[in-house]
Structure formats: structure tokens, C-alpha cells
Amino acid sequence: MGNDLEATKNKYSISQMTIAFVVLTVVYILRGKILFFLGPSFLNSGNGKLLEAIVSLVIALICAHFANKFAGKSFKVFITRIEQGKVRWLTALFCVIVFILYLAKASQWVQVMHKSVMSIITILLLAVAAGLCEEFLFRDLLFNLFTKILSKRRYVLLWSAILSSICFGLAHFVNLARQDFVVTFQQVIAVTAIGLMLCTIRILTNNMWLNVIMHIAFDISPLVVTGDIIGKWSAIIVSGLWIGGISLLTIWVYNHHCLKENLK
């Protein structure tokens, strides 16, 4: 199956891709520190948050560009997309669950629309910055890195999705610098499951842009400014199991289907 993967044609070595991922991730994480000289009083104001969002977007665009470059300048997982065949029924179930997840987000979109114009612009800029940069870092560069490392394995798609999603979740531990452990740990669990969902979308569509759009839509929330995800453990675990479970099942079944197609 390895010969069908776009990542195996990447001219950059595994070490070069790893270094690029680490450097770009550090730059993206530290983007909010660039304006430290303006002082907390200004940065906590409406104008300060807007300026910080603009700077975040610029840095995110730069990081996304270089992430895609080291990922092989391609948005594809497969050189030639393998049709889903009988797997479509599971894809349909996956789409229904994703739709329900986003339907539950609608109340947060309504909350955003009731804020001031400056707050709406700030939230949208931060959502776009996160959607672009995090997708190209984790679902493009890191996912391709793992597919290149594991290209000889039978279930390369499944393992690449699992490992890149775990890294995506663990990366959110940096939020411990501004919030308590419980809230941060909730984020890590929720974000790992969302990472699996986004990996599934990228694999099934053989493209990146729906991922970016879905990520941006998910981050359009009043909480994107603070980063908080405060909720009941039961709700977070159940939703995480639902979306993470159906994503893993969909990837595994499609991966198995691809193996069977290659044997024909």
C-alpha cells in the first residue's frame, strides 16, 4: 500500500520533516508572546486582542505554508484516490455523527453573533489561524511524516491517524500556562478525538481543505479567545468516545478496503 501514498514521494527526509514540524509548532505556540512588550493592560483590551489575532493569523499562514512545503507540497493522502466501494455505508454513519456534533456547536455560533463587531472579527481571525495552521501542521505535515515512517505497515492510515491525533491532543498541554490542569486535560481528551475525526475526513476526501473549513467552523466559539472547554466529564468522555470511536472504525475499515483493492 505504501506505493499508493503521496508521502512516500516526498523529497524531504524523515529527519527534515521532523525538524520542520518541531520548529514550526514551537513558532506557532509562541505566536502570542511576540507582542509582550505592549503590556498586559493593552493586550487584554479589545484592541489588544484584535491585534494579537491579526498577528496570530499572519504567523499561522507562514507556518501553514512551510508545513505544506515539507509535507511534499501536496494536499493528497493517496496518489490516486481509492474508491470506497461498500465502505460508503460506514462513511454515511460517520457523516451523521459529525453532523450531530456540529449541530451541538450551533448555540456557540449564535453566541458569537451576539457579540460586538470587534469581538466577532477577533474570534473569526483566531479560528481561521487555528484552522489553517493546526491542520497543515498535524493533518498534513505530521500525518505525512507518520505515513512515510510507517509506509510498509498494513494499517499505515490507522496508525498515522492515531499517532498524529495523540500528538495533536498532547500539544494542548501548553495551555497549562494559562489555565488549570482539569480544564487542560479536558481539552486534550476532546481535541484528540477531534483530531481523529479530521484525519478521517482527510483520508476519505484525499484533500486538506474540508479539514481546514471544519476546523475553523469548530473553533468559531466565544471560548476560542480563552481556550477554555469547561464541561461535565461524562459529556466530554461520551462525545469523545463517540466521535473518536466512529473515526477509528471508519479509518480501519477503509484501510482494510484499500489493502483488498491492492491485491486485485
Coordinates of all heavy atoms in Angstrom, one line a residue, residues 180-251:
D180 N -6.0 25.9 34.5 CA -5.7 24.8 35.4 C -5.7 23.4 34.7 O -6.1 23.3 33.5 CB -6.7 24.7 36.6 CG -8.2 24.4 36.1 OD1 -8.3 23.6 35.3 OD2 -9.1 25.1 36.7
F181 N -5.2 22.4 35.4 CA -5.0 21.1 34.8 C -6.2 20.4 34.4 O -6.3 19.8 33.3 CB -4.2 20.2 35.9 CG -4.0 18.8 35.3 CD1 -2.9 18.6 34.5 CD2 -4.8 17.8 35.7 CE1 -2.7 17.3 34.0 CE2 -4.6 16.5 35.2 CZ -3.5 16.3 34.3
V182 N -7.3 20.5 35.1 CA -8.6 19.8 34.8 C -9.1 20.3 33.5 O -9.5 19.5 32.6 CB -9.6 20.0 35.9 CG1 -11.0 19.4 35.5 CG2 -9.2 19.4 37.2
V183 N -9.2 21.6 33.3 CA -9.6 22.2 32.0 C -8.7 21.8 30.9 O -9.2 21.4 29.8 CB -9.7 23.7 32.1 CG1 -10.1 24.3 30.7 CG2 -10.8 24.1 33.1
T184 N -7.4 21.8 31.1 CA -6.5 21.4 30.1 C -6.6 20.0 29.7 O -6.6 19.6 28.5 CB -5.0 21.7 30.5 OG1 -4.9 23.1 30.9 CG2 -4.0 21.4 29.4
F185 N -6.8 19.1 30.7 CA -6.9 17.7 30.4 C -8.2 17.4 29.6 O -8.2 16.5 28.8 CB -6.9 16.9 31.7 CG -6.7 15.4 31.6 CD1 -5.6 14.9 30.8 CD2 -7.5 14.5 32.1 CE1 -5.4 13.6 30.6 CE2 -7.3 13.1 32.0 CZ -6.3 12.7 31.2
Q186 N -9.3 18.1 30.0 CA -10.5 18.0 29.2 C -10.2 18.4 27.7 O -10.7 17.7 26.8 CB -11.6 18.9 29.8 CG -12.2 18.4 31.1 CD -13.3 19.3 31.6 OE1 -13.3 20.5 31.2 NE2 -14.2 18.8 32.4
Q187 N -9.5 19.4 27.5 CA -9.1 19.8 26.1 C -8.4 18.7 25.4 O -8.7 18.4 24.3 CB -8.2 21.1 26.2 CG -9.0 22.4 26.3 CD -8.1 23.5 26.2 OE1 -6.9 23.5 26.6 NE2 -8.6 24.6 25.7
V188 N -7.4 18.1 26.1 CA -6.5 17.1 25.5 C -7.4 15.9 25.0 O -7.2 15.4 23.9 CB -5.4 16.6 26.5 CG1 -4.7 15.4 25.9 CG2 -4.4 17.7 26.7
I189 N -8.3 15.5 25.9 CA -9.2 14.4 25.5 C -10.1 14.7 24.3 O -10.2 14.0 23.3 CB -10.1 14.0 26.7 CG1 -9.2 13.4 27.8 CG2 -11.1 12.9 26.3 CD1 -10.0 13.1 29.1
A190 N -10.7 15.9 24.4 CA -11.7 16.3 23.3 C -10.9 16.5 22.0 O -11.4 16.1 21.0 CB -12.4 17.6 23.8
V191 N -9.8 17.2 22.1 CA -9.0 17.5 20.9 C -8.4 16.3 20.2 O -8.4 16.2 19.0 CB -7.9 18.5 21.2 CG1 -6.9 18.6 20.1 CG2 -8.5 19.9 21.5
T192 N -8.1 15.3 21.0 CA -7.6 14.0 20.4 C -8.6 13.4 19.6 O -8.4 12.9 18.5 CB -7.1 13.1 21.5 OG1 -6.0 13.7 22.3 CG2 -6.5 11.8 20.9
A193 N -9.9 13.3 20.1 CA -11.0 12.8 19.4 C -11.3 13.6 18.1 O -11.6 13.0 17.0 CB -12.2 12.7 20.3
I194 N -11.2 14.9 18.2 CA -11.5 15.8 17.1 C -10.4 15.5 16.0 O -10.6 15.6 14.8 CB -11.5 17.2 17.5 CG1 -12.7 17.5 18.4 CG2 -11.6 18.2 16.2 CD1 -14.1 17.2 17.7
G195 N -9.2 15.3 16.5 CA -8.0 15.0 15.6 C -8.3 13.8 14.8 O -8.0 13.7 13.5
L196 N -8.8 12.7 15.4 CA -9.2 11.5 14.7 C -10.3 11.8 13.6 O -10.2 11.2 12.5 CB -9.6 10.4 15.7 CG -8.6 9.8 16.6 CD1 -9.2 9.0 17.7 CD2 -7.6 8.9 15.7
M197 N -11.2 12.6 14.0 CA -12.3 12.9 13.1 C -11.7 13.6 11.9 O -12.1 13.3 10.7 CB -13.3 13.8 13.8 CG -14.5 14.3 12.9 SD -15.4 15.7 13.6 CE -14.3 17.1 13.3
L198 N -10.8 14.6 12.1 CA -10.3 15.4 11.0 C -9.4 14.5 10.1 O -9.3 14.7 8.9 CB -9.5 16.6 11.5 CG -10.4 17.6 12.2 CD1 -9.6 18.7 12.9 CD2 -11.3 18.3 11.1
C199 N -8.7 13.5 10.7 CA -7.8 12.6 9.9 C -8.7 11.8 9.0 O -8.4 11.5 7.9 CB -7.0 11.7 10.9 SG -5.6 12.4 11.6
T200 N -9.9 11.3 9.6 CA -10.8 10.6 8.8 C -11.3 11.3 7.6 O -11.4 10.8 6.5 CB -12.0 10.1 9.6 OG1 -11.6 9.5 10.8 CG2 -12.9 9.2 8.9
I201 N -11.6 12.6 7.8 CA -12.1 13.5 6.7 C -11.0 13.6 5.6 O -11.3 13.5 4.4 CB -12.5 14.8 7.2 CG1 -13.8 14.7 8.1 CG2 -12.8 15.8 6.1 CD1 -14.1 15.9 8.9
R202 N -9.8 13.8 6.1 CA -8.7 14.0 5.1 C -8.5 12.7 4.3 O -8.3 12.7 3.1 CB -7.4 14.3 5.8 CG -6.4 14.8 4.8 CD -5.0 14.9 5.2 NE -4.1 15.1 4.1 CZ -2.8 14.9 4.0 NH1 -2.2 14.5 5.1 NH2 -2.1 15.1 2.9
I203 N -8.5 11.5 4.9 CA -8.3 10.3 4.3 C -9.5 10.0 3.2 O -9.2 9.6 2.1 CB -8.3 9.1 5.3 CG1 -7.0 9.2 6.1 CG2 -8.3 7.8 4.6 CD1 -6.9 8.3 7.3
L204 N -10.7 10.2 3.7 CA -11.8 9.9 2.8 C -12.0 10.9 1.6 O -12.4 10.5 0.5 CB -13.1 10.0 3.6 CG -13.3 8.9 4.7 CD1 -14.6 9.1 5.5 CD2 -13.2 7.5 4.1
T205 N -11.6 12.2 1.8 CA -11.7 13.1 0.7 C -10.4 13.2 -0.1 O -10.4 13.8 -1.2 CB -12.0 14.5 1.3 OG1 -10.9 15.0 2.2 CG2 -13.3 14.5 2.1
N206 N -9.3 12.7 0.5 CA -8.0 12.8 -0.2 C -7.6 14.2 -0.5 O -7.0 14.6 -1.5 CB -8.0 12.0 -1.5 CG -6.6 11.7 -1.9 OD1 -5.7 11.5 -1.1 ND2 -6.3 11.6 -3.2
N207 N -7.9 15.1 0.5 CA -7.7 16.5 0.4 C -7.6 17.2 1.8 O -7.9 16.5 2.8 CB -8.8 17.2 -0.4 CG -8.3 18.5 -1.1 OD1 -7.9 19.4 -0.5 ND2 -8.4 18.5 -2.5
M208 N -7.2 18.4 1.8 CA -7.0 19.1 3.1 C -8.0 20.2 3.4 O -8.3 20.5 4.5 CB -5.6 19.8 3.1 CG -4.4 18.9 3.4 SD -4.4 18.3 5.1 CE -4.4 19.9 6.0
W209 N -8.7 20.7 2.3 CA -9.4 21.9 2.5 C -10.7 21.7 3.3 O -11.1 22.6 4.0 CB -9.7 22.6 1.2 CG -8.4 23.2 0.6 CD1 -7.7 22.8 -0.5 CD2 -7.7 24.3 1.2 NE1 -6.6 23.5 -0.6 CE2 -6.5 24.4 0.4 CE3 -7.8 25.1 2.3 CZ2 -5.6 25.4 0.6 CZ3 -6.9 26.1 2.6 CH2 -5.8 26.2 1.7
L210 N -11.4 20.6 3.2 CA -12.5 20.4 4.0 C -12.1 20.3 5.5 O -12.9 20.8 6.4 CB -13.3 19.1 3.6 CG -14.6 18.8 4.3 CD1 -15.5 19.9 4.2 CD2 -15.2 17.5 3.8
N211 N -11.0 19.7 5.8 CA -10.4 19.7 7.1 C -10.3 21.1 7.7 O -10.7 21.4 8.8 CB -9.0 19.1 7.2 CG -9.0 17.6 7.0 OD1 -9.6 17.1 6.0 ND2 -8.4 16.9 7.9
V212 N -9.7 22.0 6.9 CA -9.5 23.4 7.3 C -10.8 24.1 7.6 O -11.0 24.7 8.6 CB -8.7 24.2 6.2 CG1 -8.7 25.7 6.6 CG2 -7.3 23.6 6.1
I213 N -11.8 23.9 6.7 CA -13.1 24.5 6.9 C -13.8 24.0 8.1 O -14.4 24.7 8.9 CB -14.0 24.3 5.6 CG1 -13.4 25.0 4.4 CG2 -15.4 24.7 5.9 CD1 -14.1 24.6 3.1
M214 N -13.7 22.6 8.3 CA -14.4 22.0 9.5 C -13.7 22.5 10.8 O -14.4 22.7 11.8 CB -14.3 20.5 9.4 CG -15.0 19.9 8.2 SD -16.8 19.9 8.4 CE -17.0 18.5 9.5
H215 N -12.4 22.6 10.8 CA -11.7 23.1 11.9 C -12.0 24.5 12.3 O -12.3 24.8 13.5 CB -10.2 22.9 11.7 CG -9.3 23.0 13.0 ND1 -8.2 22.2 13.2 CD2 -9.4 23.8 14.1 CE1 -7.7 22.5 14.4 NE2 -8.4 23.5 14.9
I216 N -12.1 25.3 11.3 CA -12.4 26.8 11.5 C -13.8 26.8 12.1 O -14.1 27.6 13.1 CB -12.3 27.6 10.2 CG1 -10.9 27.7 9.7 CG2 -13.0 28.9 10.4 CD1 -10.7 28.3 8.3
A217 N -14.8 26.1 11.5 CA -16.1 26.1 12.0 C -16.2 25.7 13.4 O -17.0 26.2 14.2 CB -17.0 25.2 11.1
F218 N -15.4 24.6 13.8 CA -15.4 24.1 15.2 C -14.9 25.2 16.2 O -15.4 25.2 17.3 CB -14.6 22.8 15.3 CG -14.8 22.1 16.5 CD1 -15.9 21.2 16.6 CD2 -14.0 22.2 17.6 CE1 -16.1 20.4 17.8 CE2 -14.2 21.5 18.8 CZ -15.3 20.6 18.9
D219 N -13.9 26.0 15.7 CA -13.3 26.9 16.6 C -14.1 28.3 16.7 O -13.6 29.2 17.4 CB -11.9 27.2 16.2 CG -10.9 26.1 16.7 OD1 -11.4 25.2 17.4 OD2 -9.7 26.1 16.3
I220 N -15.1 28.4 15.9 CA -15.9 29.7 16.0 C -16.7 29.6 17.2 O -17.8 29.0 17.2 CB -16.7 29.9 14.7 CG1 -15.8 30.1 13.5 CG2 -17.6 31.1 14.9 CD1 -16.6 30.2 12.2
S221 N -16.2 30.1 18.3 CA -16.8 30.0 19.6 C -16.3 31.1 20.5 O -15.2 31.6 20.4 CB -16.4 28.6 20.2 OG -16.7 28.6 21.6
P222 N -17.2 31.5 21.5 CA -16.7 32.5 22.4 C -15.5 32.1 23.2 O -14.7 32.9 23.7 CB -17.9 32.7 23.3 CG -19.1 32.2 22.6 CD -18.6 31.1 21.7
L223 N -15.3 30.7 23.3 CA -14.2 30.2 24.1 C -12.9 30.2 23.4 O -11.9 29.9 24.0 CB -14.6 28.7 24.5 CG -15.9 28.5 25.3 CD1 -16.1 27.0 25.5 CD2 -15.8 29.3 26.6
V224 N -12.9 30.5 22.1 CA -11.7 30.5 21.3 C -10.7 31.5 21.8 O -9.5 31.4 21.7 CB -11.9 30.6 19.8 CG1 -12.3 32.1 19.4 CG2 -10.7 30.2 19.0
V225 N -11.2 32.6 22.4 CA -10.3 33.7 22.9 C -9.6 33.2 24.2 O -8.4 33.5 24.4 CB -11.2 34.9 23.2 CG1 -10.3 36.0 23.8 CG2 -11.8 35.4 21.9
T226 N -10.3 32.5 25.0 CA -9.7 32.0 26.3 C -9.1 30.6 26.2 O -8.2 30.2 26.9 CB -10.8 32.0 27.4 OG1 -11.8 31.0 27.1 CG2 -11.4 33.3 27.6
G227 N -9.7 29.8 25.2 CA -9.2 28.4 25.0 C -9.9 27.4 26.0 O -9.6 26.2 26.0
D228 N -10.8 27.9 26.8 CA -11.4 27.0 27.8 C -12.4 26.1 27.2 O -13.2 26.5 26.4 CB -12.1 27.9 28.9 CG -11.1 28.7 29.8 OD1 -9.9 28.3 29.7 OD2 -11.6 29.6 30.4
I229 N -12.4 24.8 27.7 CA -13.5 23.9 27.4 C -13.9 23.3 28.7 O -13.4 22.4 29.2 CB -13.0 22.7 26.5 CG1 -12.6 23.3 25.1 CG2 -14.2 21.8 26.2 CD1 -12.0 22.2 24.2
I230 N -14.9 24.0 29.3 CA -15.4 23.6 30.6 C -16.7 22.8 30.5 O -17.7 23.4 30.0 CB -15.5 24.8 31.6 CG1 -14.2 25.6 31.7 CG2 -16.0 24.4 33.0 CD1 -14.3 26.9 32.4
G231 N -16.7 21.6 30.9 CA -17.9 20.8 30.8 C -17.9 19.6 31.8 O -16.9 19.4 32.5
K232 N -19.0 18.9 31.8 CA -19.0 17.7 32.6 C -18.1 16.6 32.0 O -18.1 16.4 30.8 CB -20.5 17.2 32.7 CG -21.4 18.2 33.4 CD -22.8 17.6 33.5 CE -23.7 18.5 34.3 NZ -25.1 18.0 34.4
W233 N -17.5 15.9 32.9 CA -16.6 14.8 32.4 C -17.4 13.8 31.6 O -16.9 13.3 30.6 CB -15.9 14.1 33.6 CG -14.6 14.8 34.1 CD1 -14.5 15.6 35.2 CD2 -13.4 14.8 33.3 NE1 -13.2 16.0 35.2 CE2 -12.5 15.6 34.1 CE3 -13.0 14.3 32.1 CZ2 -11.2 15.8 33.7 CZ3 -11.7 14.5 31.7 CH2 -10.8 15.3 32.5
S234 N -18.6 13.5 32.1 CA -19.4 12.5 31.4 C -19.7 12.8 29.9 O -19.5 12.0 29.0 CB -20.7 12.2 32.1 OG -21.4 13.4 32.2
A235 N -20.0 14.1 29.7 CA -20.3 14.6 28.4 C -19.1 14.6 27.5 O -19.1 14.2 26.3 CB -20.9 16.0 28.4
I236 N -17.9 15.0 28.0 CA -16.7 15.0 27.3 C -16.2 13.6 26.9 O -15.9 13.3 25.8 CB -15.6 15.7 28.0 CG1 -15.9 17.2 28.1 CG2 -14.2 15.5 27.4 CD1 -15.0 18.0 29.0
I237 N -16.3 12.7 27.9 CA -15.9 11.3 27.6 C -16.8 10.6 26.6 O -16.4 10.0 25.7 CB -15.8 10.5 28.9 CG1 -14.7 11.0 29.8 CG2 -15.6 9.0 28.7 CD1 -14.6 10.5 31.2
V238 N -18.1 10.8 26.8 CA -19.1 10.1 25.9 C -18.9 10.7 24.5 O -18.9 9.9 23.5 CB -20.5 10.3 26.4 CG1 -21.5 9.9 25.3 CG2 -20.7 9.5 27.7
S239 N -18.9 12.0 24.3 CA -18.8 12.6 23.0 C -17.4 12.2 22.4 O -17.3 11.9 21.2 CB -18.9 14.1 23.1 OG -17.9 14.7 23.9
G240 N -16.4 12.2 23.2 CA -15.0 11.8 22.7 C -15.0 10.3 22.2 O -14.4 10.0 21.2
L241 N -15.7 9.5 23.0 CA -15.8 8.0 22.6 C -16.5 7.9 21.3 O -16.2 7.1 20.4 CB -16.4 7.2 23.7 CG -15.5 7.0 25.0 CD1 -16.3 6.2 26.0 CD2 -14.3 6.1 24.6
W242 N -17.6 8.6 21.2 CA -18.5 8.5 20.0 C -17.7 9.0 18.8 O -17.6 8.2 17.8 CB -19.7 9.4 20.2 CG -20.9 8.6 20.6 CD1 -21.5 8.6 21.8 CD2 -21.7 7.7 19.8 NE1 -22.6 7.8 21.9 CE2 -22.8 7.2 20.7 CE3 -21.7 7.3 18.5 CZ2 -23.7 6.3 20.2 CZ3 -22.6 6.4 18.0 CH2 -23.6 5.9 18.9
I243 N -17.2 10.2 18.8 CA -16.5 10.7 17.6 C -15.2 10.0 17.4 O -14.8 9.7 16.2 CB -16.4 12.2 17.7 CG1 -16.1 12.8 16.3 CG2 -15.3 12.6 18.7 CD1 -17.2 12.7 15.3
G244 N -14.5 9.7 18.4 CA -13.2 9.0 18.3 C -13.4 7.6 17.8 O -12.7 7.1 16.9
G245 N -14.4 6.9 18.4 CA -14.7 5.5 18.0 C -15.1 5.4 16.6 O -14.6 4.5 15.9
I246 N -16.0 6.2 16.1 CA -16.5 6.0 14.8 C -15.4 6.4 13.8 O -15.4 5.9 12.7 CB -17.8 6.9 14.5 CG1 -18.4 6.6 13.2 CG2 -17.5 8.4 14.6 CD1 -18.9 5.2 13.0
S247 N -14.6 7.4 14.2 CA -13.5 7.8 13.3 C -12.5 6.6 13.1 O -12.0 6.3 12.0 CB -12.8 9.0 13.9 OG -13.6 10.1 13.9
L248 N -12.1 6.0 14.3 CA -11.2 4.9 14.2 C -11.7 3.7 13.4 O -11.0 3.1 12.6 CB -10.8 4.4 15.6 CG -9.9 5.3 16.4 CD1 -9.8 4.8 17.9 CD2 -8.5 5.3 15.8
L249 N -13.0 3.4 13.6 CA -13.6 2.3 12.9 C -13.7 2.6 11.4 O -13.4 1.7 10.6 CB -15.1 2.1 13.4 CG -15.9 1.0 12.7 CD1 -15.2 -0.3 12.9 CD2 -17.3 1.0 13.3
T250 N -14.0 3.9 11.0 CA -14.1 4.2 9.6 C -12.7 4.1 8.9 O -12.6 3.6 7.8 CB -14.6 5.7 9.5 OG1 -15.9 5.8 10.1 CG2 -14.8 6.0 8.0
I251 N -11.7 4.6 9.6 CA -10.3 4.5 9.1 C -9.9 3.1 8.9 O -9.3 2.7 7.9 CB -9.3 5.3 9.9 CG1 -9.7 6.8 9.9 CG2 -7.9 5.1 9.4 CD1 -8.9 7.6 10.9

